[in-house]
Amino acid sequence: TGIIPAPTIGDHDAVFACVNVRVRRFQPRYKWIRLERKFVTEEFLQDSANLPFSVIYGLESPDDMVNALNTLFSESIERHAPLKRIKLTRPPAPWMNANEIRKLQADRDRLRFEAHKANSDDSWKAFREVRNKIKSVINKTKRNFIKTALSSNRPKEVWRMIHRILHPNKKPLHADPDKLNDYFINTNERTLGTKPAALSDLLEFIDSLSDSTTPQQSFSLRPVSHREVLCEIDKLRSDTSTGIDNIPVKFVKLAREHLAGPLQYIINNCIARSAFPEAWKIARISPIPKIDQPLCEADYRPVSILPALSKMIAYIEERVLLGATISGFRKGHSTTTVLLGIRDALIRASKKGEVTLMVYADYSKAFDTVQFRCVLTKMHGLGFSKSFLHWMINYLTNRQQLVQINDSKSSLLTVQFGVPQGSVLGPAIFNLYVADLQEKLQLPCYQYADDTSFYTHSKVCDLDSAVKDVNDAIVRLVDYSQCSNLALNSSKTDWMLVSTPQMARAHDLGDRTFSIKCGDKFLERIKCKNLLGIYLNEHLSWSSHIDYLLTSCYGILAVLKKLKNLTPFHVRKTLVESLVLSKIDYASPVFHPLPIYQQKRLQRLQNSCAGFVLRRFARQEDLATLNWLNISKRMDFNILKLAYKALHDDSFPEYLRLSLHCVNAYSLRSSSAPVLDIPKESGTFQDSAASIFNKLPEEIRNINNYRTFCRCIKKHFKNSE
């Protein structure tokens, strides 16, 4: 920066700044890849069929069994698709392998040699012509390659190409893997400072527990069948990274028939011995930067990757053990159902002339601070058998992890706290760990993973009593967090007073002060809260959330315009539907119904999306050509999908259940189509769902298949436009 004197122009000097706009060069790095060019599926399956898996049945220790299985199967994979360490010296450019480019490069090198030798104008002119031609051919070939890749019917290839276009030169990580691993391991020590318990002490604690339930009532692991193992293998995702064993899911699925028998034997042996193989406890941590230029260990987020075969343990059936308002990682539950439950509770209170004091509790590193002794205590209280607790403590303890950056690995360190992230059982264990929180608070509470919100309703004249109830609940929350080894972050825990705008003006609620404390710290009062991706404000108006949606979605559209001339029609349509319209659809039943002016704002956004796809100015009438519903019908469509689940899915939350209208026995109606009761409180999910559902034709309301129901209501909405 500097100043240029300019007395002849004016009284002010000119300020200037020099900015380095050079494109960052690609920095070389090393990577391990599998060479699959010569891979033949039939030969691999034949080799897998001939592997001596029978030796596994002669071993006694589950660790020896898993090591034998990993060794045999890894050697088979290595014979057909060996791992190779390669050096990446430039960004991937597969279009450079075109025959025309290779031929021109050979001609260029020959002409350069001849030009240096002859040093004549004609030879240099011939060299420059070929050199310039190569540049144009490379640009043309690259453009055609990108268009072909973006036209693929395989979403993974399309997204990989989009990422390559938008982020052409990804900056490598320069962090020390050992320092990162030490930082991740010591999360509990930094946060709470508690010491881990020895395994021998945990085993003694299990033996000291009383048999509070009969064997018929307690929960125990049961042996698995061959068919169940095959089903679990089919459920594994093939597009995930490999664990420390370097066994890709792709090859596990190919050899599923040969692996199911040994895996069934190993799993049942683990259940019988209350053990879990040590090789399946080792996690590979991939650090993901939270910001563009990470400066310290806190700027990285650890992503745990476990061996694929360790995910064969079946899910714990937790529905009967958890309260209705615990929604994280549960079938039939979602962030939308939690938000609907909270919103409906606030609406019902406002209809009664009440205000709501709501506290949003924030926990720091909740999954990483879970204490194993507390896990045993809570599971025993829920009725889990001692044999299961012995297996669980073996599953949780002696876990190790390493951090890997490119081909650099840290040393292994032992994990002393936390649930295994990246595992099948980790989310279920955490849900069971916090299942008793609602009972301790003694106030209505909604939980989604580590997000906890609790509240109380009261008349304005009784607000002081409500404040006392909330402060008492916070004291119980602090005690519960200390006993459960959870770090309650008081600096990020805040509260909101929810009321109607009319009530707030009449009673000056915005100017009133309340002393709500967490320990010695007064909690901050907020007017708007980003709760699970939805901006909830103190008057239940959705202007803040709509503003956020518009800003975010228009920003995404601006980025997508870089790809407009490279992508065919169906790819542009897929991009907009997955990146923009999905944001509009997310939890849209929560802010239904919207005022007309807010609907128009969202409708203009959808019209802009249609304009991007059609590459011209688009109006609402053009949505039919894209098979899209307008914003109003789109929101009704999403409510009807939830209404169908509420009627037909037993796992759907109880607090959002819909009641069927009982027709009088003497009614002359002969219709057998279900009709929903309309509740007294308007604006709730039950009210919106009943109002929209009851207007559907009888043949649609009688449909008992979810996909057919969605297809028919979408067709019905299109015909009604």
Short mmCIF file of all heavy atoms in Angstrom, two decimals, residues 393-445:
data_model
loop_
_atom_site.label_atom_id
_atom_site.label_comp_id
_atom_site.label_asym_id
_atom_site.label_seq_id
_atom_site.Cartn_x
_atom_site.Cartn_y
_atom_site.Cartn_z
N ILE A 393 -18.41 -52.70 27.80
CA ILE A 393 -17.18 -52.08 28.28
C ILE A 393 -15.99 -52.56 27.47
O ILE A 393 -15.01 -51.82 27.26
CB ILE A 393 -16.99 -52.36 29.80
CG1 ILE A 393 -16.09 -51.29 30.41
CG2 ILE A 393 -16.42 -53.75 30.03
CD1 ILE A 393 -16.64 -49.90 30.32
N ASN A 394 -16.06 -53.78 26.94
CA ASN A 394 -15.00 -54.25 26.04
C ASN A 394 -15.06 -53.52 24.71
O ASN A 394 -14.03 -53.24 24.09
CB ASN A 394 -15.14 -55.76 25.83
CG ASN A 394 -13.91 -56.38 25.19
OD1 ASN A 394 -13.67 -56.19 24.01
ND2 ASN A 394 -13.14 -57.10 25.98
N TYR A 395 -16.27 -53.18 24.29
CA TYR A 395 -16.46 -52.44 23.04
C TYR A 395 -15.93 -51.01 23.14
O TYR A 395 -15.36 -50.46 22.19
CB TYR A 395 -17.95 -52.44 22.69
CG TYR A 395 -18.33 -51.64 21.47
CD1 TYR A 395 -18.18 -52.17 20.20
CD2 TYR A 395 -18.87 -50.35 21.59
CE1 TYR A 395 -18.54 -51.44 19.07
CE2 TYR A 395 -19.23 -49.62 20.47
CZ TYR A 395 -19.07 -50.18 19.22
OH TYR A 395 -19.42 -49.45 18.11
N LEU A 396 -16.09 -50.39 24.32
CA LEU A 396 -15.73 -48.99 24.48
C LEU A 396 -14.25 -48.77 24.83
O LEU A 396 -13.66 -47.78 24.40
CB LEU A 396 -16.59 -48.35 25.58
CG LEU A 396 -18.08 -48.17 25.27
CD1 LEU A 396 -18.82 -47.68 26.51
CD2 LEU A 396 -18.30 -47.20 24.12
N THR A 397 -13.67 -49.66 25.62
CA THR A 397 -12.31 -49.43 26.14
C THR A 397 -11.24 -49.94 25.18
O THR A 397 -11.53 -50.72 24.25
CB THR A 397 -12.16 -50.11 27.50
OG1 THR A 397 -12.46 -51.51 27.38
CG2 THR A 397 -13.08 -49.48 28.52
N ASN A 398 -10.01 -49.49 25.45
CA ASN A 398 -8.82 -49.90 24.68
C ASN A 398 -8.94 -49.56 23.19
O ASN A 398 -8.37 -50.25 22.34
CB ASN A 398 -8.55 -51.40 24.84
CG ASN A 398 -8.12 -51.75 26.25
OD1 ASN A 398 -7.50 -50.93 26.94
ND2 ASN A 398 -8.48 -52.95 26.71
N ARG A 399 -9.69 -48.53 22.89
CA ARG A 399 -9.75 -48.08 21.49
C ARG A 399 -8.55 -47.18 21.21
O ARG A 399 -8.09 -46.43 22.08
CB ARG A 399 -11.05 -47.31 21.23
CG ARG A 399 -12.25 -48.22 21.14
CD ARG A 399 -13.51 -47.51 20.70
NE ARG A 399 -14.55 -48.47 20.36
CZ ARG A 399 -14.75 -48.98 19.16
NH1 ARG A 399 -13.98 -48.58 18.15
NH2 ARG A 399 -15.70 -49.85 18.93
N GLN A 400 -8.08 -47.25 19.97
CA GLN A 400 -6.93 -46.46 19.57
C GLN A 400 -7.25 -45.69 18.29
O GLN A 400 -8.17 -46.05 17.54
CB GLN A 400 -5.70 -47.36 19.34
CG GLN A 400 -5.21 -48.04 20.60
CD GLN A 400 -4.01 -48.92 20.32
OE1 GLN A 400 -4.06 -49.84 19.52
NE2 GLN A 400 -2.90 -48.63 21.00
N GLN A 401 -6.48 -44.64 18.06
CA GLN A 401 -6.67 -43.86 16.84
C GLN A 401 -5.34 -43.26 16.39
O GLN A 401 -4.41 -43.10 17.19
CB GLN A 401 -7.69 -42.74 17.06
CG GLN A 401 -7.21 -41.61 17.95
CD GLN A 401 -8.24 -40.51 18.09
OE1 GLN A 401 -9.44 -40.77 18.15
NE2 GLN A 401 -7.80 -39.26 18.15
N LEU A 402 -5.27 -42.99 15.11
CA LEU A 402 -4.12 -42.29 14.53
C LEU A 402 -4.65 -41.25 13.55
O LEU A 402 -5.76 -41.38 13.02
CB LEU A 402 -3.15 -43.26 13.84
CG LEU A 402 -3.66 -44.13 12.70
CD1 LEU A 402 -3.65 -43.40 11.35
CD2 LEU A 402 -2.83 -45.40 12.59
N VAL A 403 -3.88 -40.22 13.32
CA VAL A 403 -4.23 -39.17 12.37
C VAL A 403 -3.41 -39.37 11.11
O VAL A 403 -2.19 -39.58 11.17
CB VAL A 403 -3.97 -37.77 12.97
CG1 VAL A 403 -4.13 -36.69 11.91
CG2 VAL A 403 -4.93 -37.50 14.12
N GLN A 404 -4.08 -39.33 9.97
CA GLN A 404 -3.40 -39.49 8.68
C GLN A 404 -3.64 -38.26 7.82
O GLN A 404 -4.77 -37.82 7.62
CB GLN A 404 -3.89 -40.74 7.94
CG GLN A 404 -3.20 -40.96 6.62
CD GLN A 404 -3.57 -42.28 5.98
OE1 GLN A 404 -4.29 -43.08 6.55
NE2 GLN A 404 -3.08 -42.52 4.77
N ILE A 405 -2.53 -37.68 7.31
CA ILE A 405 -2.58 -36.56 6.36
C ILE A 405 -1.79 -36.98 5.14
O ILE A 405 -0.58 -37.19 5.21
CB ILE A 405 -2.00 -35.28 6.97
CG1 ILE A 405 -2.79 -34.87 8.22
CG2 ILE A 405 -2.01 -34.14 5.96
CD1 ILE A 405 -2.22 -33.66 8.94
N ASN A 406 -2.47 -37.15 4.02
CA ASN A 406 -1.88 -37.73 2.81
C ASN A 406 -1.32 -39.10 3.16
O ASN A 406 -2.07 -39.97 3.58
CB ASN A 406 -0.84 -36.79 2.22
CG ASN A 406 -1.47 -35.50 1.69
OD1 ASN A 406 -2.62 -35.51 1.25
ND2 ASN A 406 -0.76 -34.39 1.78
N ASP A 407 -0.02 -39.31 3.04
CA ASP A 407 0.53 -40.62 3.40
C ASP A 407 1.29 -40.58 4.73
O ASP A 407 1.99 -41.53 5.07
CB ASP A 407 1.46 -41.14 2.29
CG ASP A 407 2.71 -40.29 2.13
OD1 ASP A 407 2.64 -39.09 2.48
OD2 ASP A 407 3.73 -40.81 1.67
N SER A 408 1.19 -39.48 5.47
CA SER A 408 1.86 -39.36 6.76
C SER A 408 0.89 -39.76 7.87
O SER A 408 -0.25 -39.29 7.92
CB SER A 408 2.34 -37.92 7.00
OG SER A 408 3.24 -37.54 5.98
N LYS A 409 1.37 -40.63 8.76
CA LYS A 409 0.54 -41.12 9.86
C LYS A 409 1.19 -40.81 11.19
O LYS A 409 2.42 -40.82 11.32
CB LYS A 409 0.33 -42.63 9.74
CG LYS A 409 -0.43 -43.07 8.50
CD LYS A 409 -0.59 -44.58 8.48
CE LYS A 409 -1.33 -45.04 7.23
NZ LYS A 409 -1.48 -46.51 7.19
N SER A 410 0.35 -40.57 12.18
CA SER A 410 0.83 -40.37 13.54
C SER A 410 0.95 -41.72 14.24
O SER A 410 0.55 -42.76 13.70
CB SER A 410 -0.13 -39.46 14.31
OG SER A 410 -1.35 -40.14 14.56
N SER A 411 1.48 -41.69 15.43
CA SER A 411 1.52 -42.91 16.24
C SER A 411 0.14 -43.16 16.84
O SER A 411 -0.70 -42.25 16.94
CB SER A 411 2.56 -42.77 17.35
OG SER A 411 2.27 -41.62 18.14
N LEU A 412 -0.10 -44.40 17.27
CA LEU A 412 -1.37 -44.76 17.86
C LEU A 412 -1.47 -44.26 19.29
O LEU A 412 -0.51 -44.38 20.06
CB LEU A 412 -1.55 -46.28 17.83
CG LEU A 412 -1.90 -46.92 16.48
CD1 LEU A 412 -1.81 -48.43 16.57
CD2 LEU A 412 -3.31 -46.51 16.05
N LEU A 413 -2.62 -43.69 19.65
CA LEU A 413 -2.89 -43.26 21.01
C LEU A 413 -4.21 -43.89 21.47
O LEU A 413 -5.11 -44.13 20.65
CB LEU A 413 -2.97 -41.74 21.11
CG LEU A 413 -1.68 -40.97 20.84
CD1 LEU A 413 -1.93 -39.47 20.95
CD2 LEU A 413 -0.57 -41.39 21.79
N THR A 414 -4.33 -44.13 22.77
CA THR A 414 -5.51 -44.78 23.33
C THR A 414 -6.57 -43.75 23.68
O THR A 414 -6.28 -42.72 24.29
CB THR A 414 -5.14 -45.59 24.59
OG1 THR A 414 -4.14 -46.54 24.25
CG2 THR A 414 -6.35 -46.31 25.15
N VAL A 415 -7.81 -44.04 23.29
CA VAL A 415 -8.95 -43.17 23.56
C VAL A 415 -9.53 -43.54 24.92
O VAL A 415 -9.89 -44.70 25.16
CB VAL A 415 -10.03 -43.30 22.47
CG1 VAL A 415 -11.20 -42.37 22.75
CG2 VAL A 415 -9.44 -43.02 21.10
N GLN A 416 -9.62 -42.58 25.84
CA GLN A 416 -10.06 -42.84 27.21
C GLN A 416 -11.50 -42.39 27.47
O GLN A 416 -12.10 -42.80 28.47
CB GLN A 416 -9.14 -42.11 28.21
CG GLN A 416 -7.68 -42.46 28.08
CD GLN A 416 -7.35 -43.84 28.64
OE1 GLN A 416 -8.23 -44.55 29.10
NE2 GLN A 416 -6.08 -44.21 28.60
N PHE A 417 -12.06 -41.56 26.60
CA PHE A 417 -13.41 -41.04 26.80
C PHE A 417 -14.12 -41.01 25.45
O PHE A 417 -13.49 -41.04 24.39
CB PHE A 417 -13.39 -39.62 27.40
CG PHE A 417 -12.91 -39.55 28.81
CD1 PHE A 417 -11.56 -39.38 29.10
CD2 PHE A 417 -13.81 -39.63 29.86
CE1 PHE A 417 -11.12 -39.29 30.40
CE2 PHE A 417 -13.37 -39.54 31.18
CZ PHE A 417 -12.02 -39.38 31.44
N GLY A 418 -15.44 -40.90 25.51
CA GLY A 418 -16.23 -40.67 24.31
C GLY A 418 -16.77 -41.94 23.68
O GLY A 418 -16.24 -43.03 23.88
N VAL A 419 -17.85 -41.76 22.92
CA VAL A 419 -18.42 -42.88 22.16
C VAL A 419 -17.66 -43.00 20.84
O VAL A 419 -17.14 -42.01 20.32
CB VAL A 419 -19.92 -42.67 21.90
CG1 VAL A 419 -20.69 -42.66 23.20
CG2 VAL A 419 -20.17 -41.38 21.12
N PRO A 420 -17.55 -44.21 20.29
CA PRO A 420 -16.83 -44.39 19.03
C PRO A 420 -17.54 -43.69 17.88
O PRO A 420 -18.60 -44.14 17.45
CB PRO A 420 -16.80 -45.92 18.84
CG PRO A 420 -17.16 -46.49 20.16
CD PRO A 420 -18.02 -45.49 20.84
N GLN A 421 -16.97 -42.60 17.41
CA GLN A 421 -17.58 -41.88 16.30
C GLN A 421 -17.26 -42.59 14.99
O GLN A 421 -16.18 -43.10 14.79
CB GLN A 421 -17.09 -40.44 16.29
CG GLN A 421 -17.48 -39.69 17.55
CD GLN A 421 -17.32 -38.20 17.42
OE1 GLN A 421 -17.61 -37.62 16.39
NE2 GLN A 421 -16.84 -37.56 18.48
N GLY A 422 -18.24 -42.60 14.10
CA GLY A 422 -18.11 -43.35 12.86
C GLY A 422 -18.59 -44.77 12.98
O GLY A 422 -18.60 -45.51 12.00
N SER A 423 -19.03 -45.16 14.18
CA SER A 423 -19.51 -46.53 14.40
C SER A 423 -21.02 -46.58 14.30
O SER A 423 -21.71 -45.56 14.30
CB SER A 423 -19.06 -47.04 15.77
OG SER A 423 -19.67 -46.27 16.79
N VAL A 424 -21.56 -47.80 14.26
CA VAL A 424 -23.01 -47.98 14.20
C VAL A 424 -23.64 -47.72 15.57
O VAL A 424 -24.70 -47.10 15.67
CB VAL A 424 -23.34 -49.40 13.71
CG1 VAL A 424 -24.83 -49.68 13.81
CG2 VAL A 424 -22.87 -49.59 12.27
N LEU A 425 -22.97 -48.17 16.62
CA LEU A 425 -23.56 -48.09 17.96
C LEU A 425 -23.32 -46.74 18.64
O LEU A 425 -23.97 -46.45 19.64
CB LEU A 425 -22.99 -49.20 18.85
CG LEU A 425 -23.43 -50.63 18.50
CD1 LEU A 425 -22.84 -51.61 19.48
CD2 LEU A 425 -24.94 -50.75 18.46
N GLY A 426 -22.39 -45.94 18.15
CA GLY A 426 -22.07 -44.68 18.80
C GLY A 426 -23.26 -43.78 19.04
O GLY A 426 -23.51 -43.34 20.18
N PRO A 427 -24.08 -43.46 18.03
CA PRO A 427 -25.25 -42.60 18.25
C PRO A 427 -26.26 -43.20 19.22
O PRO A 427 -26.84 -42.48 20.04
CB PRO A 427 -25.85 -42.45 16.84
CG PRO A 427 -24.71 -42.71 15.91
CD PRO A 427 -23.86 -43.73 16.59
N ALA A 428 -26.46 -44.54 19.14
CA ALA A 428 -27.42 -45.17 20.05
C ALA A 428 -26.93 -45.09 21.49
O ALA A 428 -27.72 -44.85 22.41
CB ALA A 428 -27.62 -46.63 19.64
N ILE A 429 -25.63 -45.28 21.70
CA ILE A 429 -25.07 -45.20 23.05
C ILE A 429 -25.26 -43.79 23.61
O ILE A 429 -25.62 -43.61 24.78
CB ILE A 429 -23.59 -45.60 23.04
CG1 ILE A 429 -23.43 -47.07 22.68
CG2 ILE A 429 -22.94 -45.33 24.39
CD1 ILE A 429 -22.00 -47.51 22.44
N PHE A 430 -25.03 -42.77 22.78
CA PHE A 430 -25.18 -41.40 23.27
C PHE A 430 -26.64 -41.10 23.61
O PHE A 430 -26.93 -40.43 24.61
CB PHE A 430 -24.67 -40.41 22.23
CG PHE A 430 -24.66 -38.99 22.73
CD1 PHE A 430 -23.65 -38.52 23.53
CD2 PHE A 430 -25.70 -38.12 22.41
CE1 PHE A 430 -23.64 -37.22 24.02
CE2 PHE A 430 -25.71 -36.82 22.88
CZ PHE A 430 -24.67 -36.38 23.69
N ASN A 431 -27.58 -41.57 22.78
CA ASN A 431 -28.99 -41.37 23.09
C ASN A 431 -29.35 -41.97 24.45
O ASN A 431 -30.08 -41.37 25.25
CB ASN A 431 -29.87 -41.99 22.00
CG ASN A 431 -30.15 -41.02 20.87
OD1 ASN A 431 -29.86 -39.84 20.96
ND2 ASN A 431 -30.69 -41.52 19.78
N LEU A 432 -28.87 -43.19 24.71
CA LEU A 432 -29.14 -43.83 25.99
C LEU A 432 -28.44 -43.10 27.13
O LEU A 432 -28.92 -43.08 28.26
CB LEU A 432 -28.68 -45.30 25.94
CG LEU A 432 -29.41 -46.18 24.93
CD1 LEU A 432 -28.76 -47.55 24.84
CD2 LEU A 432 -30.87 -46.33 25.30
N TYR A 433 -27.30 -42.50 26.83
CA TYR A 433 -26.52 -41.79 27.84
C TYR A 433 -27.27 -40.56 28.37
O TYR A 433 -27.19 -40.23 29.55
CB TYR A 433 -25.19 -41.38 27.22
CG TYR A 433 -24.15 -40.87 28.19
CD1 TYR A 433 -23.45 -41.74 29.01
CD2 TYR A 433 -23.85 -39.51 28.28
CE1 TYR A 433 -22.48 -41.28 29.90
CE2 TYR A 433 -22.89 -39.03 29.15
CZ TYR A 433 -22.21 -39.92 29.96
OH TYR A 433 -21.25 -39.46 30.83
N VAL A 434 -27.99 -39.87 27.49
CA VAL A 434 -28.70 -38.64 27.89
C VAL A 434 -30.20 -38.88 28.03
O VAL A 434 -30.97 -37.91 28.13
CB VAL A 434 -28.43 -37.51 26.87
CG1 VAL A 434 -26.97 -37.16 26.84
CG2 VAL A 434 -28.92 -37.90 25.47
N ALA A 435 -30.64 -40.14 28.06
CA ALA A 435 -32.08 -40.43 28.11
C ALA A 435 -32.72 -39.98 29.42
O ALA A 435 -33.93 -39.73 29.46
CB ALA A 435 -32.31 -41.93 27.91
N ASP A 436 -31.94 -39.87 30.50
CA ASP A 436 -32.51 -39.50 31.79
C ASP A 436 -32.50 -38.00 32.05
O ASP A 436 -32.88 -37.55 33.14
CB ASP A 436 -31.75 -40.21 32.91
CG ASP A 436 -30.25 -39.93 32.85
OD1 ASP A 436 -29.78 -39.48 31.79
OD2 ASP A 436 -29.55 -40.19 33.85
N LEU A 437 -32.08 -37.20 31.05
CA LEU A 437 -32.00 -35.75 31.26
C LEU A 437 -33.38 -35.13 31.47
O LEU A 437 -33.55 -34.25 32.33
CB LEU A 437 -31.30 -35.09 30.07
CG LEU A 437 -31.27 -33.56 30.04
CD1 LEU A 437 -30.59 -33.01 31.30
CD2 LEU A 437 -30.56 -33.05 28.80
N GLN A 438 -34.37 -35.57 30.70
CA GLN A 438 -35.70 -34.98 30.81
C GLN A 438 -36.30 -35.17 32.20
O GLN A 438 -36.95 -34.28 32.74
CB GLN A 438 -36.62 -35.59 29.74
CG GLN A 438 -36.12 -35.38 28.33
CD GLN A 438 -37.16 -35.71 27.29
OE1 GLN A 438 -38.34 -35.70 27.57
NE2 GLN A 438 -36.72 -36.01 26.08
N GLU A 439 -36.05 -36.34 32.78
CA GLU A 439 -36.55 -36.60 34.12
C GLU A 439 -35.89 -35.68 35.14
O GLU A 439 -36.54 -35.23 36.09
CB GLU A 439 -36.28 -38.07 34.48
CG GLU A 439 -36.76 -38.46 35.86
CD GLU A 439 -36.39 -39.89 36.19
OE1 GLU A 439 -35.94 -40.62 35.28
OE2 GLU A 439 -36.54 -40.28 37.36
N LYS A 440 -34.62 -35.37 34.96
CA LYS A 440 -33.90 -34.51 35.90
C LYS A 440 -34.35 -33.06 35.81
O LYS A 440 -34.44 -32.35 36.81
CB LYS A 440 -32.39 -34.61 35.64
CG LYS A 440 -31.81 -36.00 35.76
CD LYS A 440 -31.86 -36.53 37.18
CE LYS A 440 -31.21 -37.90 37.26
NZ LYS A 440 -31.29 -38.47 38.63
N LEU A 441 -34.65 -32.60 34.59
CA LEU A 441 -35.00 -31.18 34.42
C LEU A 441 -36.35 -30.84 35.01
O LEU A 441 -36.57 -29.72 35.48
CB LEU A 441 -34.99 -30.82 32.92
CG LEU A 441 -33.63 -30.69 32.25
CD1 LEU A 441 -33.81 -30.40 30.77
CD2 LEU A 441 -32.82 -29.58 32.91
N GLN A 442 -37.30 -31.78 34.93
CA GLN A 442 -38.66 -31.57 35.44
C GLN A 442 -39.39 -30.45 34.68
O GLN A 442 -40.28 -29.80 35.22
CB GLN A 442 -38.65 -31.28 36.95
CG GLN A 442 -38.03 -32.39 37.78
CD GLN A 442 -37.96 -32.05 39.24
OE1 GLN A 442 -38.62 -31.11 39.71
NE2 GLN A 442 -37.16 -32.79 40.00
N LEU A 443 -38.95 -30.17 33.45
CA LEU A 443 -39.62 -29.23 32.56
C LEU A 443 -39.71 -29.86 31.17
O LEU A 443 -38.89 -30.74 30.84
CB LEU A 443 -38.84 -27.90 32.47
CG LEU A 443 -38.92 -26.94 33.65
CD1 LEU A 443 -38.09 -25.70 33.36
CD2 LEU A 443 -40.35 -26.56 33.97
N PRO A 444 -40.67 -29.45 30.35
CA PRO A 444 -40.72 -29.97 28.98
C PRO A 444 -39.39 -29.74 28.26
O PRO A 444 -38.80 -28.66 28.36
CB PRO A 444 -41.86 -29.18 28.33
CG PRO A 444 -42.70 -28.72 29.48
CD PRO A 444 -41.78 -28.50 30.63
N CYS A 445 -38.94 -30.75 27.54
CA CYS A 445 -37.59 -30.70 26.96
C CYS A 445 -37.58 -31.44 25.63
O CYS A 445 -38.24 -32.48 25.48
CB CYS A 445 -36.61 -31.34 27.94
SG CYS A 445 -34.95 -31.58 27.29
#
